[in-house]
Structure formats: structure tokens, C-alpha cells
Amino acid sequence: MRIGIPQETKNRETRVALTPEGARQLAEAGHDVCVEQGAGTAAFLPDREYEAAGARIVSTAEAWDADLVLKVKEPVEREYDLLRDNVLFTFLHLAANEPLAAALVAARTTAFSYDTVQLDDGSLPLLTPMSAVAGRLATLEGGHRLLSSQGGRGVLIAGAPGVAGARVVVIGGGVAGSNALAQAVGMGADAVVIDLDEDRLESLAATYGDAVRTVVSTPEAIEREALAADLVIGAVLVPGHRAPRVLSRDTVLAMRPGAVLVDIAIDQGGCFEVSRPTTHDDPVFTVGDVQVYCVANMPGAVGATATAALTHATLPYVTAIAGGWQGAVEADPALARGLNTDAGTVRYPAVAQAFPHLPADPLAAPGPADR
């Protein structure tokens, strides 16, 4: 199979969908690996390393004209004309992106989304490594924005001798939220985590003891904790669906002057009412006296680390798809759940629900267990 790896086009996106070592494994399996010229440069993976691994360096058009196209981020509008009736494997977040859903349907693309590949236990094996990276970055970026030089409250997350650390509130205790929490605790924050799942809160309490205060999620609790916070990190995820809005504009307007919001869920539409996507070049906007950080490709800030982590997770699935996607779907329910569009129809139930006017034939894959 001819496998294409285009260069990413999203603002400051430094990741690439495949490392040279991943390219070597696919080439040794007999596949024709076509990497767009310069695709790995921003992750410090030069073309010569791909060529040494057995890949070919090609143009943009050739990379997109492959049987299977691997990307990191969803195609942006200027790439819609490159879509066709081949297989695309990338992050899509379609439930929050109607124009892309319509473009994939129109192009008859067989599109699998990393973020909806889901194991029987409900876990998301391809989203997990990037969620972990984004969670850790959220605390680091939030701490940076709290500096007076950045317009923040002048509060150090770690505090100082005799001075408490910043109050960091994490909404959502999943992979991204727990990694944000771990980073906050490690930096010495006065940390709070809010979640609906009391078992999850109990587990976090057992891990961190008195270093973290756990709170069961209610609208009243979220408002109360946000008003007392220096930094609020939103990490709410409903797999495949648009993120629920858990923090109102009115609450944001009443927060402490110089406080910071970081919305990790922005790829799925954002979990704060005020959220809108931002870029690495222009990462924050203000609502009242609060800074809001909503960069939609946070792991792009650490492209070398994130590219390696993503390839480790995706390569087994890429190998399966390259052997024939229909057979791969039949053999692996987790991959079947990742199918979002095919043959001019929406196949993922939550996307069909979000955009009922698009033609749909939801795939009847077994649902995750124990959810």
C-alpha cells in the first residue's frame, strides 16, 4: 500500500504523523512510504532520516494522493480540495467541526479519527498520549500566564517559603486532567480536582492525600471553586461528542483579576462558555480581567516528544489498516469505533447526531464495556 505523510499546516504545528523508525517498519513490511518534503523538519526529523529508513520524499500532492494518508491534526479548509476517496487516519474531532464533516462526506473519504478509537474498557489508546502531554502543558502554560509580565496575577504556582502556592482548579479527572493535576502538585500548587465520578476522585485522593482537595462536580461547586482560583484548567471529555460547557461567562467575569483559564477541551468545542480556538502565535484573549488560553494543538509546542509518543500509539493500527481497512475493522472493534466517515456517509453515531442533515449510516460496532 502507498502511505502518505503530508506536512502539517496548522499554526505552529511541529508534529509529524510518523517517525523515521515508524516509516522503516512500514517500508520493511512492503509498503511504499511517501513523506512530504520537510514534513518532519519542525520535529527535528530531517528528510534524510526518512530516506535512510526507506521512505520516499514527495510533493504535497503526492503525499495526499496515497491509498492511506496519515496526519496529526484535522485537515484545515485550504486542504479540503486535497481530500479524496482514500483512507485518512488522523485526529478529526468531527462533532465540533461541521465543515470538515461535510467535506469528508463530499469527498467520500474513509476517515478514521484517533480520538474515537476506543477499547472495550472505554479507554482511548490514541488520544491518551496526547492528552497526557496537553495536561502537563496546561499547567505549565497556565503558570506562565500567571506571571505579572504576562498580565497575570503575579502568583507563582510553587509559592514561596511561608507563602501558599497558586490555587489551581482542574475540572475533569481523566487522562488530561490527571496529568495537569500531577504537574500542579509537583510544582507545589494548592490543587483542587473536580469530577462527576466519585470513584475517580477517591483514586486521586488516595494518590495525592492532603496535597489535593477533591470535589464532586456540580454547577454550584464549579462556580465556587472557579471564583477562588488563580488558574482553572478545563479537561472535560465525552468521547466523540462536543464537550459540555461547564463554566459560564458570568462566572468568568466574576473571577479574580489576572486569573487564567486553560481549555484543553477546545478541540471538542471547549468546556468554558467563553472559549474559542486560539493559536500558538496568538494564544490568549481576555474576558473581563481573565486571560483565556485555548490553543487547539497544544502538543505542537513539544513536537519531538509528541511525535514519538503518537507514533508509538498509532503504528499498530496503521499497520492493520495498511493490510486492508475493511478486514482491520472486522477484526478490531476498537478500530471500528474510530471510523467516522466512509463512502459519502457519516459512520460515527455522535457525529451523525450532531449533524442530522448529513447522510449517515452509523456503524454498529460493539459499544465500550463498563461505562
Side-chain angles (χ1 to χ4, degrees):
M1 177 177 280
R2 189 152 40 97
I3 302 172
I5 295 89
Q7 185 169 355
E8 298 297 316
T9 58
K10 211 173 182 86
N11 175 263
R12 300 281 183 176
E13 181 51 74
T14 63
R15 290 171 289 180
V16 60
L18 193 69
T19 62
E21 179 55 34
R24 182 185 304 279
Q25 292 185 40
L26 293 172
E28 289 177 349
H31 301 292
D32 180 16
V33 182
C34 304
V35 179
E36 182 179 347
Q37 183 176 9
T41 300
F44 295 90
L45 299 171
D47 290 346
R48 66 177 182 274
E49 292 190 13
Y50 287 98
E51 289 180 306
R56 293 191 296 120
I57 304 302
V58 301
S59 66
T60 302
E62 289 177 282
W64 277 95
D65 196 33
D67 305 305
L68 168 60
V69 175
L70 305 179
K71 285 186 88 282
V72 177
K73 291 302 294 178
E74 73 281 357
V76 297
E77 185 175 0
R78 64 179 178 273
E79 293 174 314
Y80 289 178
D81 288 342
L82 297 168
L83 297 173
R84 59 200 66 226
D85 60 348
N86 53 8
V87 181
L88 174 65
F89 197 25
T90 187
F91 283 114
L92 290 171
H93 304 290
L94 277 193
N97 195 338
E98 182 178 357
L100 177 57
L104 290 168
V105 167
R108 301 181 66 81
T109 303
T110 299
F112 291 85
S113 187
Y114 297 153
D115 53 290
T116 60
V117 173
Q118 191 169 24
L119 301 178
D120 285 344
D121 64 2
S123 61
L124 303 166
L126 307 187
L127 182 61
T128 292
M130 296 302 95
S131 293
V133 170
R136 296 170 191 181
L137 283 171
T139 306
L140 296 175
E141 291 286 356
H144 177 65
R145 294 292 158 185
L146 282 172
L147 300 179
S148 298
S149 60
Q150 302 300 311
R153 289 180 52 75
V155 175
L156 183 64
I157 284 187
V163 181
R167 174 70 64 85
V168 177
V169 175
V170 179
I171 307 175
V175 174
S178 61
N179 275 272
L181 184 68
Q183 191 76 38
V185 172
M187 294 171 69
D190 175 12
V192 179
V193 61
I194 304 174
D195 199 278
L196 283 169
D197 187 338
E198 295 187 39
D199 290 338
R200 181 62 182 151
L201 292 177
E202 183 177 346
S203 174
L204 291 169
T207 299
Y208 294 109
D210 292 340
V212 171
R213 183 160 54 85
T214 60
V215 177
V216 175
S217 182
T218 66
E220 295 77 15
I222 290 172
E223 178 180 10
R224 180 184 67 247
E225 298 299 336
L227 292 177
D230 298 303
L231 168 62
V232 177
I233 296 171
V236 180
L237 173 68
V238 180
H241 293 258
R242 187 182 181 94
R245 301 291 176 85
V246 298
L247 189 65
S248 71
R249 176 180 291 273
D250 287 345
T251 300
V252 173
L253 289 171
M255 288 176 64
R256 292 174 167 182
V260 175
L261 300 178
V262 177
D263 193 343
I264 302 175
I266 192 63
D267 276 334
Q268 290 290 98
C271 61
F272 306 143
E273 186 179 0
V274 299
S275 293
R276 57 177 171 80
T278 61
T279 66
H280 288 290
D281 280 346
D282 188 16
V284 298
F285 58 92
T286 58
V287 177
D289 296 320
V290 175
Q291 293 187 75
V292 187
Y293 179 100
C294 296
V295 173
N297 58 326
M298 290 176 64
V302 288
T305 297
T307 292
L310 185 63
T311 298
H312 290 158
T314 60
L315 192 58
Y317 292 93
V318 172
T319 301
I321 293 171
W325 74 266
Q326 295 95 334
V329 163
E330 291 175 3
D332 187 352
L335 182 61
R337 297 179 191 113
L339 183 63
N340 277 222
T341 67
D342 174 50
T345 60
V346 173
R347 304 301 302 277
Y348 193 75
V351 178
Q353 182 180 2
F355 312 124
H357 55 284
L358 293 178
D361 182 18
L363 190 67
D370 301 322
R371 295 292 285 169

